[in-house]
Amino acid sequence: MSQSNLNSTKEKLIAERETLSRKLSRNDLSVDASETPDPVDLAVRNYSKNVMLAVSENESRQVVLINEALTRIADDEYGTCQNCEKEINPKRLDAVPWARYCLSCQELVEQNLLDED
Ligand SMILES: [Zn+2]
């Protein structure tokens, strides 16, 4: 991958990471303990809390992937599949700049056939 492409990928990753951390910091999960909400209210609140937690988990995970991708750029390893070490399709990287694996290895990951470290 050319240096100018790498630079724009890096910018894209950093911008994406900023968006995610803003989202994550907005997810304030604290519940005011001084309130005594009725059970229905509480159930709704717990539900949305779970949804928010699930979302946060995804987003936190993505931040990790983005950080890894930035490290790979710094180490000159970007664009290489972390499993088979083949080059990841540039179109895939364009759509998913933080991709760790090539498409075939990603399929293995999704079927739990690959041990992720
Ligand atoms: Zn691969």
Side-chain angles (χ1 to χ4, degrees):
M1 190 179 271
S2 77
Q3 197 57 43
S4 65
N5 272 347
L6 268 181
N7 281 337
S8 66
T9 305
K10 199 168 155 183
E11 275 165 27
K12 213 151 93 176
L13 286 165
I14 291 170
E16 182 69 24
R17 187 172 62 181
E18 269 167 25
T19 311
L20 285 168
S21 13
R22 261 200 302 273
K23 266 197 220 168
L24 279 168
S25 62
R26 259 209 311 268
N27 282 359
D28 185 7
L29 301 173
S30 61
V31 174
D32 192 346
S34 65
E35 281 178 72
T36 43
D38 66 78
V40 177
D41 189 26
L42 204 62
V44 169
R45 225 189 266 208
N46 276 338
Y47 174 74
S48 48
K49 192 171 164 178
N50 285 339
V51 170
M52 271 202 281
L53 274 177
V55 170
S56 308
E57 234 166 75
N58 265 333
E59 284 166 352
S60 317
R61 185 164 162 72
Q62 201 173 334
V63 169
V64 172
L65 289 176
I66 289 174
N67 285 335
E68 283 182 7
L70 287 168
T71 309
R72 286 198 294 275
I73 290 177
D75 292 347
D76 223 5
E77 283 174 11
Y78 184 76
T80 308
C81 174
Q82 298 299 290
N83 182 53
C84 67
E85 291 177 7
K86 281 184 197 142
E87 224 173 276
I88 302 175
N89 188 317
K91 273 189 196 145
R92 170 163 165 73
L93 284 176
D94 204 41
V96 192
W98 48 85
R100 290 169 115 182
Y101 305 111
C102 68
L103 216 46
S104 25
C105 293
Q106 183 64 42
E107 273 172 25
L108 295 178
V109 169
E110 273 155 25
Q111 293 163 34
N112 283 321
L113 294 173
L114 192 75
D115 286 328
E116 279 191 276
D117 38 54

